[in-house]
Amino acid sequence: NTFALFSNYIRRNFQIRMTELSAQELCDIVGGELIGSTSVKISGPEQIDKAEKHHVTFIGNRKYLKYWDESKASVAIVNSNLKIEEDDTRAIIKVGNADLAMAKILEAYNPPTPVFENEIHPTAVVHETAKIGMGCKIGAGSYVGKDVIIGDGVILYPNVSVFDDTTIGMGTIVWSGTVIRERTEIGMGCIFHTNVSIGADGFGYRPAEDGRGLVKIPQIGNVIIGNGVEIGANSCVDRGKFSSTIIGDGCKIDNLVQIAHNCIMGRACIMAGHSGLAGSVTLGDGVIIGGSASIKDHTNIASGAIVGAGSGVMNDIEAGKTVLGYPATDSREMLKQWVALRKLGKQ
């Protein structure tokens, strides 16, 4: 059909402009072992069942081996513990971890980011008291408020708002539509994707004394974000009621995530899409929160714990423990309950 023809045209023309690498060059990038050879130049990566001759693909799990015979890919990057059929026309690159190798390959083929014709666009509004570091770029329609401090090499894409007394560490990238409220402290090398909200009021209300309506509780704290934090599109981090909402170094937060007032996240935590922390939740280091999981307020989740997708956490979780279900409980116990319910339904 017309749409398919147009899509193929765009794909072909886009790939022509991409980097083309040999199998040996790909092998050098991932530090693998090259088996076999191909003269085909590789213009990009693709999943195994959709790959064409000019693609490199990845096999990190035994279940994908069955697709290799039918795949059109000329190069496969494969976990070294997997046995794979070799042939004379295609190349295999053995690596310790195909997923980590994939990250290196994707970086090699990563298209360039949008171009700034001016380091600070004429339509950007930068307060005279703001301090802007060397090599910063500020896009059209952006706003930088009073006494803001922006470190070297920070990029604010068009239509970003950074309000008063905020600090942003060097090398941080902020995509369009993001709003960073006053007094926020942001570390180095962070990435905020489109329409992130940092430092909005926490959700605090109490019934009025006369029983008519609600009284808003002022939220006078701020948000502190460590180094190397990445926050996905349309996610929200609310400021503290009294002190600070804190996101630790290296945390990775998916799209559409809610982090409420006075939450504290340790280092290298992961939160998947549609998950949320109610007020004053504390996460230790390396905690993983699955998609659509909900965490009750004032709950402590210790380091290394895992919360399964869709779970509802009502109580504290010990270090290293995995919980599932609603309400969440030990994963092994919850699995036993599910098996029992399934058997009950068959009686």
Side-chain angles (χ1 to χ4, degrees), residues 308-340:
S311 299
V313 175
M314 309 297 289
N315 300 296
D316 293 351
I317 300 174
E318 299 172 0
K321 192 171 185 178
T322 299
V323 298
L324 295 172
Y326 204 102
T329 188
D330 180 82
S331 59
R332 292 166 295 185
E333 177 62 30
M334 183 55 65
L335 290 171
K336 289 178 183 178
Q337 292 182 29
W338 289 344
V339 170

Side-chain angles (χ1 to χ4, degrees), residues 22 68 109 202 224 234 256 285:
S22 68
W68 176 237
Y109 286 104
I224 299 175
N234 298 298
L256 297 165
D285 296 339

Side-chain angles (χ1 to χ4, degrees), residues 294-323:
S294 302
I295 316 300
K296 177 183 173 294
D297 60 293
H298 296 275
T299 300
N300 295 320
I301 302 179
S303 295
I306 299 174
V307 177
S311 299
V313 175
M314 309 297 289
N315 300 296
D316 293 351
I317 300 174
E318 299 172 0
K321 192 171 185 178
T322 299
V323 298

Side-chain angles (χ1 to χ4, degrees), residues 48-65:
I48 193 166
D49 57 334
K50 294 183 179 179
E52 299 292 338
K53 187 175 181 180
H54 53 270
H55 285 139
V56 55
T57 195
F58 307 88
I59 304 175
N61 190 295
R62 194 176 308 277
K63 67 180 180 181
Y64 296 112
L65 287 172

Side-chain angles (χ1 to χ4, degrees), residues 4 21 38 41 83 94-95 99 107 123 130 159 172 214 228 238 255 297 339:
L21 299 171
T38 177
K41 290 287 188 178
K83 293 183 179 180
K94 290 291 190 81
V95 295
D99 288 337
E107 187 63 36
T123 63
N159 298 312
T172 287
L214 298 170
D238 293 342
N255 302 336
D297 60 293
V339 170

Side-chain angles (χ1 to χ4, degrees), residues 113-305:
T113 55
V115 173
F116 281 78
E117 294 183 355
N118 309 98
E119 286 199 346
I120 299 179
H121 194 274
T123 63
V125 176
V126 179
H127 195 276
E128 60 183 7
T129 61
K131 297 179 180 178
I132 310 299
M134 298 287 292
C136 290
K137 297 178 181 179
I138 301 176
S142 291
Y143 172 77
V144 178
K146 183 176 181 293
D147 293 322
V148 167
I149 300 174
I150 296 179
D152 296 346
V154 169
I155 298 176
L156 306 181
Y157 281 98
N159 298 312
V160 167
S161 296
V162 182
F163 287 93
D164 301 6
D165 299 301
T166 289
T167 61
I168 301 178
M170 65 180 184
T172 287
I173 298 172
V174 184
W175 285 90
S176 296
T178 292
V179 176
I180 302 172
R181 290 284 298 274
E182 58 274 17
R183 303 186 307 281
T184 298
E185 300 175 24
I186 298 169
M188 300 182 295
C190 295
I191 301 173
F192 301 149
H193 293 278
T194 51
N195 299 320
V196 168
S197 172
I198 304 292
D201 283 5
F203 190 71
Y205 297 89
R206 294 293 183 273
E209 290 184 1
D210 61 4
R212 298 180 179 181
L214 298 170
V215 175
K216 180 177 175 63
I217 306 298
Q219 311 285 304
I220 64 172
N222 72 335
V223 174
I224 299 175
I225 296 176
N227 301 319
V229 172
E230 185 163 357
I231 301 181
N234 298 298
S235 290
C236 301
V237 182
D238 293 342
R239 70 188 183 205
K241 182 193 301 182
F242 303 122
S243 52
S244 302
T245 301
I246 300 174
I247 312 296
D249 292 349
C251 286
K252 308 300 179 186
I253 297 166
D254 199 358
N255 302 336
L256 297 165
V257 169
Q258 162 66 16
I259 298 172
H261 63 86
N262 293 103
C263 287
I264 298 175
M265 297 176 63
R267 296 173 299 171
C269 294
I270 294 173
M271 293 186 65
H274 288 273
S275 61
L277 307 181
S280 300
V281 169
T282 299
L283 307 185
D285 296 339
V287 171
I288 298 175
I289 308 294
S292 297
S294 302
I295 316 300
K296 177 183 173 294
D297 60 293
H298 296 275
T299 300
N300 295 320
I301 302 179
S303 295

